[in-house]
Amino acid sequence: MRRGARAGLLGLAVLLLVACNGVVLTDGQEGRVELAQEVVELTVGRDSATAMLDQLLSESDPPVEQRMEAVLREELDGGIEQLQSQLATVYAREFTADELRAIRDFYKTPAGIALRQRQTALAPETSRISAEWMGQVLERARLRYAREAEGYAP
């Protein structure tokens, strides 16, 4: 299995594990759950989750066995509503109703639709670029710190 596909499957597994943990709403958040559910359905809907799985499977080297692919699809299909519900609870806790409406409305615009359609395909490249950039930042900081530390040596 290619490195990117393994990382993607691991990321999906972590997302599913995290989503399975219970989240409790505080007073006043219950009214935002419905809005949050709309946002989650737009961003983590059955179609986008299936597209993510399709992308990961297409990158798998060697290919995933046919039965394993069927099991993955069944598990994804059977668990997506639980994932969406738990994510909606988090969104309802973290965003105001006005913010949720704005997010929902954005994802319904042509630009939001384009973002949703391309997000899964872009994720491996944008993750790689971000990781490389962070590696460069850390290396520059390490070198700079070492140079500065040398200047302070007795």
Side-chain angles (χ1 to χ4, degrees):
M1 188 181 288
R2 283 184 30 207
R3 187 177 187 175
R6 268 183 281 173
L9 283 173
L10 179 60
L12 180 60
V14 168
L15 177 63
L16 290 172
L17 286 172
V18 169
C20 289
N21 291 325
V23 178
V24 178
L25 290 174
T26 60
D27 291 338
Q29 293 172 337
E30 292 85 359
R32 295 193 300 260
V33 172
E34 187 174 303
L35 281 169
Q37 286 172 332
E38 290 182 57
V39 170
V40 169
E41 285 181 26
L42 289 168
T43 58
V44 190
R46 191 173 306 277
D47 291 342
S48 64
T50 300
M52 184 187 314
L53 181 60
D54 290 343
Q55 177 79 24
L56 294 171
L57 292 172
S58 73
E59 294 174 355
S60 179
D61 184 21
V64 174
E65 293 178 17
Q66 198 171 28
R67 178 63 189 140
M68 181 59 179
E69 180 177 340
V71 168
L72 281 167
R73 291 185 186 285
E74 289 169 9
E75 288 298 319
L76 183 140
D77 193 53
I80 193 70
E81 288 175 8
Q82 179 185 15
L83 172 65
Q84 289 174 325
S85 174
Q86 291 175 340
L87 292 176
T89 301
V90 172
Y91 281 34
R93 185 186 67 223
E94 295 297 323
F95 296 99
T96 68
D98 287 341
E99 289 169 332
L100 288 166
R101 279 187 207 92
I103 293 167
R104 177 201 59 199
D105 293 348
F106 166 74
Y107 277 114
K108 290 181 176 183
T109 67
I113 292 167
L115 176 62
R116 288 185 359 236
Q117 290 172 339
R118 293 182 181 96
Q119 208 158 15
T120 300
L122 292 172
E125 184 177 8
T126 57
S127 293
R128 179 188 54 78
I129 290 168
S130 297
E132 288 174 5
W133 175 81
M134 183 54 75
Q136 293 167 0
V137 167
L138 292 173
E139 181 61 15
R140 286 192 309 266
R142 184 189 67 76
L143 292 171
R144 182 175 158 196
Y145 178 80
R147 281 192 307 272
E148 289 177 5
E150 287 174 7
Y152 293 110

